[in-house]
């Protein structure tokens, strides 16, 4: 069973995202085309005209090399064949290399991409559409990805040698620190993906293949020298003119004027440099305008002239890594992509990038918020029903829910408001009498009035507590369900791992494919089948 809510009604999403979904005109300048099926006709034509045969050949050859080291799922192999044709396009989502998929929304992102690819094929049968998972292998923030939560317990991996692209990390210590600690009911797929894998990128690809390979999901690791060749023109322009920062700063000013806060910080030079020892370091142009770009390695800065960097970019582009501002551009250069599917924060930072794409002459994709969902197990749905609540009621604050449950259980709502008003009126009469007879007694009367009001308020609290105690079991159960579905007060999808569901419901991904509708642009509440 699936019910839906607007994103605004959940109270869990940013104003920018809910305004985008409401198609507020203030945001129209920051995206290209609204995510609706009819708008993909123009998007296909624009991308087809801009995407060269050379770019397609480079992509397919790199993917075949990437997939050459293992068994390729049949549906993935079929999609690799399709990508050779100029009538094939991609729908892309990207994500960090979280251990064992990380939070649930990783799965929702990929299901959104698979489902939208199917919808596009049904609408445009003359074309083919391939779902792509862009692995953020060049990210260097290991602390964001080295843990995940399963049944309320956090599992963590402390790897050595971090500070460079996480996709290149070997898996030393992962078995002892994490995999061997997992509950026995965890499906073997989640262990086998990491067993013997040379790097975190290779393991993540295996896991993605295991979970989504049957649906044709193509996983791309763009941290490859053959793909970085496509980045050379961008590197040249960025090193010489710092094009992206100028474009983002202009957009940020307009976003701020429209009442929205920019999501990501743009640097003067939006590139990292990959050092000989595997670290990912910033490039910092000289603040005084000198012909010097600093690369800091282990707290030691070395100056490179612009000419030196340009030569290095042309000869060894793999030494450069785009940051959050240029990574989306790199993605759209490599792929015949039509739409990018991301979370609310990603939508916000894509809105900072439209002018960057224009400056480099690359088509801006349709930006689609990923599907979001709350999964309610059969047991929890039954408990809510017994409490007189629906699965959409649970989004309301706990005090409101307790009132609703109390009313359903016949609990009296205790209020001594009328008595307080009557008491105040009585003391006002006494105070008026004191004023007439002896004004010095007015303060005494006021003090007694305050004391009586406080006593009545205390009685109200005690009576309310007594009424609540009659149903304390039901309220405790309500609080437990609320915490289960909204861990720490946040959305379930931002904390729980897919294993929290998959262990008890092996058909969960199939259920998601049936329940989620990417272009419906609403929040889904999914009850276990």
């Amino acid at each position: 069973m699936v019910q839906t809510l607007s994103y605004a009604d959940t109270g869990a999403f940013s104003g920018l995202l809910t305004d985008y979904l409401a198609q507020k005109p203030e945001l129209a300048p920051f995206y290209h085309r609204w995510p609706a099926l009819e708008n993909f006709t123009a998007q296909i034509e624009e991308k087809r005209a801009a995407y060269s045969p050379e770019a397609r050949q480079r992509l397919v050859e790199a993917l075949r090399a990437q997939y050459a080291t293992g068994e390729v799922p049949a549906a993935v192999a079929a999609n690799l064949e399709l990508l050779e044709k100029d009538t094939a396009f991609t729908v892309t989502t990207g994500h960090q290399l979280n251990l064992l998929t990380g939070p649930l929304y990783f799965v929702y992102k990929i299901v959104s991409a698979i489902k939208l690819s199917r919808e596009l094929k049904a609408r445009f049968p003359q074309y083919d559409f391939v779902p792509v998972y862009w692995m953020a292998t060049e990210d260097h923030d290991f602390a964001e990805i080295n843990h995940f939560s399963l049944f309320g317990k956090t599992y963590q991996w402390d790897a050595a040698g971090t500070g460079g692209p996480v996709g290149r990390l070997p898996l030393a210590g992962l078995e002892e620190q994490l995999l061997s600690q997992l509950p026995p009911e965890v499906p073997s797929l989640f262990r086998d993906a990491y067993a013997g894998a040379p790097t975190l990128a290779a393991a993540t690809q295996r896991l993605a293949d295991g979970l989504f390979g049957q649906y044709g999901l193509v996983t791309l690791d763009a941290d490859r020298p053959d793909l970085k060749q496509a980045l050379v023109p961008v590197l040249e322009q960025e090193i010489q003119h710092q094009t992206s920062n100028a474009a983002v700063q202009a957009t940020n000013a307009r976003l701020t004027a429209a009442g929205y806060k920019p999501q990501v910080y743009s640097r003067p030079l939006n590139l990292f440099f990959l050092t000989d020892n595997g670290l990912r370091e910033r490039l910092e142009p000289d603040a005084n305008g000198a012909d010097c770009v600093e690369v800091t390695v282990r707290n030691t800065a070395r100056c490179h002239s612009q000419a030196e960097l340009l030569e290095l970019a042309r000869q060894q582009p793999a030494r450069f890594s785009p940051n959050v501002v240029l990574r989306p551009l790199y993605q759209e250069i490599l792929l015949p992509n039509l739409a990018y599917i991301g979370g609310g924060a990603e939508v916000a930072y894509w809105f900072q990038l439209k002018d960057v794409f224009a400056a480099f002459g690359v088509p801006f994709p349709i930006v689609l918020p990923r599907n979001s969902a709350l999964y309610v197990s059969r047991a929890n749905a039954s408990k809510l029903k017994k409490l007189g609540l629906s699965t959409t009621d649970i989004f309301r604050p706990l005090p409101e829910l307790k009132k609703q449950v109390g009313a359903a259980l016949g609990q009296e709502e205790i209020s001594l408001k009328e008595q307080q008003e009557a008491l105040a009126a009585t003391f006002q009469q006494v105070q008026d009498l004191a004023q007439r007879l002896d004004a010095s007694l007015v303060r005494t009367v006021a003090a007694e009035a305050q004391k009586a009001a406080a006593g009545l308020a205390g009685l109200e609290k005690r009576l309310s507590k007594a009424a609540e105690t009659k149903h304390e079991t039901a309220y405790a159960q309500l609080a437990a369900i609320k915490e289960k579905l909204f861990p720490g007060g946040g959305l379930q999808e931002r904390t729980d791992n897919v294993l929290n569901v998959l262990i008890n419901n092996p058909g969960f991904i199939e259920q998601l494919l049936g329940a989620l509708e990417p272009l419906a642009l609403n929040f889904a509440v999914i009850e276990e089948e």
Side-chain angles (χ1 to χ4, degrees), residues 501-513:
V501 181
L502 207 59
I503 286 174
N504 298 313
N505 181 6
F508 179 52
I509 290 176
E510 277 292 331
Q511 187 178 358
L512 288 176
L513 284 164

Side-chain angles (χ1 to χ4, degrees), residues 12 58 216 225 365 402 419:
R58 178 191 296 115
K402 288 176 74 172
Q419 289 78 4

